[in-house]
C-alpha cells in the first residue's frame, strides 16, 4: 500500500514538471508558435487563397517538395544542354558568312525518298574554326511553287560541326536552307538572362472600388515593401501578387493588362548579337536549288491511318500543296461535323488554340456561339450545335498572360483545376496549348505549370481512362521581335521540356513546332491553312 502511494506521488510530481516545462516553452516561443498555427482569414474563391501578405521573397526558404525536386532535375538537364559560353568580343562568336557548308555524296540525280546530308563547319567572324557547338539552327527545305516544305534534322557533334539531314519528300525544284537563328554565345546569354529576373513584363491590376476603379502593380514576384495581395493556388504552389490598394479587399481584383518594361539582363555586347542583322542569317547562300526526280522507284507502301498515341519522328512530316503529310501515318479526309457529333471539345491555353475555336465556328455554320456575358479578346468562348450535340469551349490559361489590352480575371483559373473538375469520358476531348506567354519569365515558371497540368491529366486518366488528351506544341513566331523576351529559342526549350514531361502519359502531341517550321510561317498566329491542318490531325486522332 505504501509503495502504491509513493508511486502515485512520484507520477504527480513528474506530470507537474512536464506541465511547467510545456507552459514555459509556449511562453518563450509564443510568437513563433502563433505564426505557425494562426490561420489567415482568407477568401477561398476560384481555387485561389486571396489574402494580404508582406512582400513575397524572391526565393522563399521552404523545404523542397517533390515538385521542386522535379523542377530542379529538369533544369539541371537543360543547364547541361546549354553550357555557359562567355565571349570577350563579337568577332569570336559564330558567323554565318564565314561558316562552311559541304554537300556530302553529291550526285547528278536526286530521287524522291532519298536523304541528302550537309556537313556544316562553323567559324567565327575571323574565320577560325569553332571548337564547340550549341548554335541555334533551323534547317528547312521548300518548293514555294508547289506550296511544299519540311524541316531538316540537325545533329550537333558539340565540336563546331553539324550534320544537317534532309529527306527529299517530293519531286521538283527544291531549295535548301540552314538559318543561324542565334550563335551559341547568344543562346548561352539568353538562357542566363531568362533565369535572372521576373520583371521584363509588368502587370497592372484593376480593382473595383464602388463605381470607380483603382490600378496597382502586379507580378509573379513583387519586390515591394507595400502590403500585397497574394493569389495562391495552395496545392500547386502557383502564386500571383498585386500591391493591395488602400481600403480595398484583395477579392476586388477584376481586370489585368501588361506592358514590357525597359529591363534587360544582357550586356551591351550581348545585345548586339540580337540585332535584326544578326538573327536568322542564311548559311547556305552558295547552294542553288536541286532537282528531285521520281527515279522509277517502287511505289511506297500504304501508310496506316493516323491514330491517337502514334509515335512521332524528326521531321514529323512535310507540307505538299499546302497540306500536311505525316511521315509515320496517313491523314484521312474527315467530315468535321460528323466527327464531332456528341463530343465536348475543351480547348485550354493561349490564343494559338483560340484560333481553333474560331476555325471551328467559321467551318461549321450550325455551330452557334453562346453569350457568356464576358468581354474582350480573352473572354471564354463556348459554341454548340444542338442538332449534332457538339460542344466546343475555349478558355485562357491563368497568369502569366502578356496582353496589352485589359482582360477580365474574375473567372481566371489554372488549367490543372479545370481538368480536376472535368468528368472526362470517351466523348470528352481536351486540347492544351501553353508556352508563348511564359517565354519572358524564368523557366521554372513554365516547368511548374507543365508539371501541375501533367499531374491533373494523370488524375483524370485514372478516373476516366478513355478521355482523349492532346498537347498542341508551340508555334514558331516572328524571328526578330523582342528576342530577349520572346525568342523561339525560349519556345524550343519549352517544346523539349513539354515532350519530356508528358512522355509517361497516354496523351498525343500535335507537333505544331515542326509543322510551322515546315510551312515557314514565322508568325505566332499562323494563317488558316496551317490551323486547318493542325485541326485535321485532331480529327484523325478522335474519329
Amino acid at each position: 500500500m505504501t509503495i502504491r502511494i509513493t508511486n502515485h506521488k512520484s507520477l504527480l510530481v513528474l506530470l507537474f514538471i512536464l506541465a511547467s516545462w510545456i507552459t514555459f516553452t509556449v511562453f518563450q516561443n509564443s510568437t513563433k508558435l502563433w505564426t505557425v498555427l494562426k490561420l489567415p482569414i482568407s477568401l477561398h474563391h476560384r481555387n485561389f487563397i486571396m489574402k494580404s501578405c508582406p512582400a513575397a521573397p524572391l526565393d522563399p526558404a521552404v523545404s523542397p517538395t517533390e515538385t521542386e525536386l522535379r523542377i530542379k532535375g529538369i533544369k539541371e538537364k537543360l543547364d547541361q544542354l546549354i553550357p555557359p559560353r562567355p565571349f570577350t568580343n563579337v568577332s569570336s562568336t559564330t558567323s554565318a558568312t564565314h561558316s562552311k557548308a559541304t554537300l556530302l555524296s553529291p550526285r547528278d540525280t536526286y530521287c524522291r525518298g532519298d536523304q541528302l546530308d550537309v556537313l556544316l563547319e562553323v567559324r567565327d567572324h575571323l574565320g577560325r574554326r569553332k571548337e564547340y557547338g550549341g548554335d541555334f539552327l533551323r534547317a528547312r527545305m521548300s518548293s514555294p511553287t508547289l506550296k511544299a516544305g519540311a524541316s531538316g534534322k540537325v545533329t550537333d557533334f558539340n565540336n563546331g560541326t553539324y550534320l544537317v539531314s534532309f529527306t527529299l519528300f517530293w519531286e521538283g525544284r527544291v531549295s535548301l536552307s540552314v538559318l543561324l537563328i542565334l550563335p551559341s554565345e547568344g543562346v548561352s546569354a539568353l538562357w542566363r538572362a531568362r533565369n535572372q529576373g521576373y520583371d521584363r513584363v509588368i502587370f497592372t491590376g484593376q480593382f473595383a472600388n464602388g463605381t470607380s476603379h483603382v490600378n496597382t502593380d502586379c507580378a509573379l514576384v513583387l519586390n515591394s515593401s507595400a502590403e500585397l495581395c497574394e493569389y495562391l493556388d495552395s496545392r500547386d504552389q502557383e502564386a500571383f501578387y498585386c500591391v493591395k490598394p488602400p481600403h480595398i479587399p484583395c477579392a476586388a481584383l477584376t481586370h489585368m493588362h501588361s506592358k514590357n518594361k525597359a529591363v534587360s539582363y544582357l550586356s551591351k555586347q550581348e545585345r548586339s548579337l540580337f540585332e535584326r542583322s544578326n538573327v536568322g542569317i542564311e548559311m547556305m547562300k552558295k547552294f542553288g536549288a536541286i532537282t528531285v526526280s521520281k527515279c522509277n522507284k517502287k511505289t511506297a507502301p500504304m501508310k496506316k491511318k493516323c491514330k491517337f498515341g502514334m509515335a512521332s519522328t524528326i521531321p514529323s512530316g512535310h507540307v505538299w500543296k499546302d497540306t500536311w503529310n505525316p511521315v509515320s501515318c496517313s491523314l484521312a479526309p474527315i467530315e468535321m461535323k460528323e466527327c464531332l457529333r456528341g463530343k465536348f471539345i475543351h480547348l485550354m491555353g493561349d490564343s494559338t488554340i483560340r484560333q481553333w475555336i474560331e476555325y471551328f465556328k467559321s467551318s461549321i455554320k450550325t455551330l452557334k456561339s453562346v453569350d457568356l456575358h464576358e468581354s474582350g479578346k480573352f473572354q471564354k468562348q463556348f459554341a454548340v450545335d444542338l442538332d449534332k450535340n457538339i460542344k466546343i469551349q475555349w478558355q485562357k490559361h491563368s497568369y502569366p498572360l502578356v496582353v496589352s489590352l485589359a482582360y477580365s480575371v474574375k473567372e481566371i483559373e489554372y488549367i490543372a483545376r479545370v481538368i480536376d473538375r472535368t468528368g472526362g469520358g470517351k466523348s470528352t476531348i481536351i486540347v492544351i496549348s501553353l508556352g508563348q506567354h511564359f517565354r519572358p519569365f524564368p523557366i521554372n515558371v513554365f516547368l511548374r505549370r507543365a508539371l501541375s497540368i501533367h499531374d491533373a491529366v494523370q488524375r483524370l486518366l485514372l478516373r476516366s481512362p478513355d478521355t482523349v488528351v492532346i498537347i498542341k506544341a508551340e508555334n514558331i513566331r516572328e524571328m526578330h521581335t523582342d528576342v530577349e523576351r520572346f525568342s523561339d529559342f525560349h519556345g524550343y526549350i519549352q517544346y523539349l521540356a513539354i515532350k519530356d514531361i508528358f512522355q509517361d502519359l497516354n496523351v498525343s502531341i500535335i507537333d505544331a513546332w515542326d509543322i510551322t517550321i515546315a510551312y515557314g510561317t514565322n508568325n505566332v498566329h499562323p494563317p488558316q491553312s496551317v490551323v486547318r491542318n493542325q485541326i485535321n490531325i485532331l480529327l484523325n486522332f478522335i474519329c
Side-chain angles (χ1 to χ4, degrees):
M1 184 68 177
T2 305
I3 294 172
R4 287 182 183 177
I5 291 172
T6 303
N7 287 343
H8 183 67
K9 287 181 178 179
S10 299
L11 181 60
L12 288 173
V13 169
L14 285 172
L15 287 173
F16 177 77
I17 292 170
L18 180 61
S20 300
W21 179 82
I22 291 172
T23 303
F24 176 77
T25 303
V26 169
F27 179 77
Q28 290 291 99
N29 299 281
S30 59
T31 303
K32 184 178 178 181
L33 283 172
W34 178 246
T35 303
V36 173
L37 298 174
K38 183 182 177 183
L39 297 176
I41 300 172
S42 304
L43 173 64
H44 292 259
H45 183 51
R46 301 192 302 270
N47 299 308
F48 293 122
I49 299 173
M50 294 182 284
K51 63 182 180 182
S52 301
C53 62
L58 194 61
D59 292 304
V62 295
S63 58
T65 62
E66 182 186 347
T67 300
E68 300 294 343
L69 294 173
R70 290 158 77 191
I71 291 171
K72 182 182 177 184
I74 298 170
K75 176 78 164 40
E76 286 174 351
K77 283 196 280 187
L78 293 173
D79 285 336
Q80 292 173 6
L81 191 66
I82 316 160
R85 298 295 183 200
F87 63 100
T88 54
N89 196 290
V90 172
S91 63
S92 65
T93 66
T94 306
S95 164
T97 304
H98 290 86
S99 296
K100 182 183 178 183
T102 305
L103 189 61
L104 300 180
S105 304
R107 63 201 88 157
D108 296 329
T109 303
Y110 293 94
C111 300
R112 188 181 69 186
D114 285 352
Q115 180 172 301
L116 184 151
D117 292 325
V118 175
L119 183 67
L120 193 64
E121 298 173 311
V122 296
R123 300 176 183 270
D124 66 17
H125 289 266
L126 298 178
R128 299 172 298 197
R129 276 284 306 272
K130 299 285 292 291
E131 296 181 353
Y132 52 83
D135 300 291
F136 186 39
L137 308 176
R138 180 172 296 163
R140 181 174 180 260
M141 53 185 281
S142 62
S143 298
T145 57
L146 297 173
K147 294 185 177 180
S151 67
K153 180 181 179 181
V154 178
T155 304
D156 185 351
F157 295 114
N158 296 309
N159 61 2
T161 61
Y162 300 83
L163 181 67
V164 184
S165 302
F166 297 96
T167 301
L168 305 178
F169 288 110
W170 63 86
E171 303 163 39
R173 297 284 288 171
V174 176
S175 298
L176 305 177
S177 167
V178 177
L179 297 180
L180 175 62
I181 307 294
L182 298 173
S184 54
E185 296 79 10
V187 165
S188 170
L190 272 190
W191 181 241
R192 188 206 73 245
R194 175 176 184 173
N195 293 302
Q196 275 187 264
Y198 294 79
D199 53 352
R200 293 177 191 83
V201 176
I202 54 174
F203 296 87
T204 300
Q206 185 181 111
F207 288 78
N209 183 26
T211 57
S212 62
H213 61 263
V214 177
N215 292 338
T216 72
D217 290 341
C218 301
L220 291 163
V221 170
L222 265 179
N223 289 322
S224 172
S225 58
E227 186 179 11
L228 302 181
C229 289
E230 179 185 49
Y231 301 92
L232 173 68
D233 184 307
S234 54
R235 183 192 64 197
D236 294 327
Q237 288 298 298
E238 300 211 58
F240 195 75
Y241 301 89
C242 290
V243 173
K244 185 181 183 300
H247 313 300
I248 298 176
C250 295
L253 179 64
T254 62
H255 290 79
M256 190 73 61
H257 70 272
S258 68
K259 65 178 180 180
N260 295 338
K261 190 177 180 182
V263 169
S264 174
Y265 292 93
L266 299 169
S267 69
K268 183 178 180 180
Q269 185 170 249
E270 288 170 337
R271 285 197 296 274
S272 70
L273 297 178
F274 309 123
E275 293 172 358
R276 177 176 284 268
S277 59
N278 294 328
V279 176
I281 309 302
E282 182 58 65
M283 305 184 81
M284 295 184 66
K285 283 183 179 177
K286 297 178 182 178
F287 281 72
I290 63 169
T291 300
V292 180
S293 304
K294 187 177 181 180
C295 298
N296 295 318
K297 284 198 170 186
K298 293 181 181 179
T299 305
M302 289 287 291
K303 292 183 285 189
K304 294 180 180 179
K305 177 184 173 295
C306 294
K307 293 182 179 179
F308 178 85
M310 278 188 161
S312 186
T313 58
I314 302 176
S316 59
H318 70 279
V319 182
W320 187 68
K321 292 186 177 180
D322 215 21
T323 300
W324 179 249
N325 297 270
V327 168
S328 56
C329 58
S330 176
L331 289 172
I334 303 288
E335 206 289 307
M336 183 184 297
K337 190 173 177 178
E338 197 56 41
C339 174
L340 298 181
R341 178 196 285 269
K343 293 183 174 63
F344 195 157
I345 313 293
H346 298 260
L347 306 175
M348 306 177 187
D350 56 33
S351 56
T352 68
I353 199 74
R354 186 185 66 215
Q355 283 187 284
W356 284 29
I357 193 169
E358 291 164 353
Y359 184 85
F360 281 128
K361 288 192 290 188
S362 66
S363 300
I364 303 174
K365 302 305 179 186
T366 54
L367 201 59
K368 303 301 180 185
S369 294
V370 176
D371 185 0
L372 300 176
H373 304 289
E374 294 185 28
S375 60
K377 193 70 173 173
F378 273 77
Q379 64 180 295
K380 183 186 292 184
Q381 296 189 40
F382 186 59
V384 296
D385 180 325
L386 294 177
D387 181 50
K388 298 288 186 181
N389 191 25
I390 300 169
K391 297 184 286 291
I392 304 177
Q393 176 179 284
W394 172 81
Q395 68 184 95
K396 59 185 176 287
H397 61 67
S398 190
Y399 312 112
L401 278 171
V402 182
V403 184
S404 58
L405 298 174
Y407 54 91
S408 172
V409 296
K410 293 177 183 178
E411 295 182 0
I412 199 165
E413 203 170 6
Y414 288 106
I415 288 177
R417 293 293 185 170
V418 179
I419 293 171
D420 278 339
R421 58 177 176 75
T422 300
K426 62 181 180 181
S427 297
T428 300
I429 319 297
I430 294 175
V431 187
I432 301 162
S433 180
L434 76 160
Q436 298 285 348
H437 295 263
F438 290 79
R439 293 186 183 192
F441 304 100
I443 191 66
N444 67 296
V445 178
F446 177 79
L447 295 177
R448 183 180 298 278
R449 185 67 49 84
L451 288 167
S452 70
I453 293 171
H454 167 278
D455 294 350
V457 169
Q458 190 172 49
R459 291 189 292 270
L460 170 64
L461 294 178
L462 285 172
R463 65 180 180 270
S464 297
D466 49 357
T467 307
V468 174
V469 180
I470 294 167
I471 309 296
K472 186 194 83 67
E474 291 183 52
N475 302 332
I476 63 169
R477 65 179 299 155
E478 299 78 7
M479 206 175 295
H480 302 97
T481 302
D482 201 348
V483 175
E484 184 172 355
R485 289 180 182 85
F486 295 109
S487 170
D488 269 344
F489 163 70
H490 298 317
Y492 180 64
I493 293 302
Q494 292 174 174
Y495 165 70
L496 295 179
I498 207 91
K499 291 201 295 183
D500 182 69
I501 287 169
F502 282 89
Q503 65 179 333
D504 65 326
L505 296 183
N506 185 29
V507 303
S508 275
I509 293 180
I510 293 180
D511 198 343
W513 186 267
D514 193 51
I515 293 170
T516 49
I517 289 177
Y519 273 95
T521 53
N522 297 318
N523 190 330
V524 67
H525 298 120
Q528 286 231 324
S529 59
V530 179
V531 176
R532 169 175 54 82
N533 279 277
Q534 291 177 352
I535 288 175
N536 191 40
I537 300 172
L538 168 74
L539 298 178
N540 273 260
F541 282 172
I542 64 178
C543 294

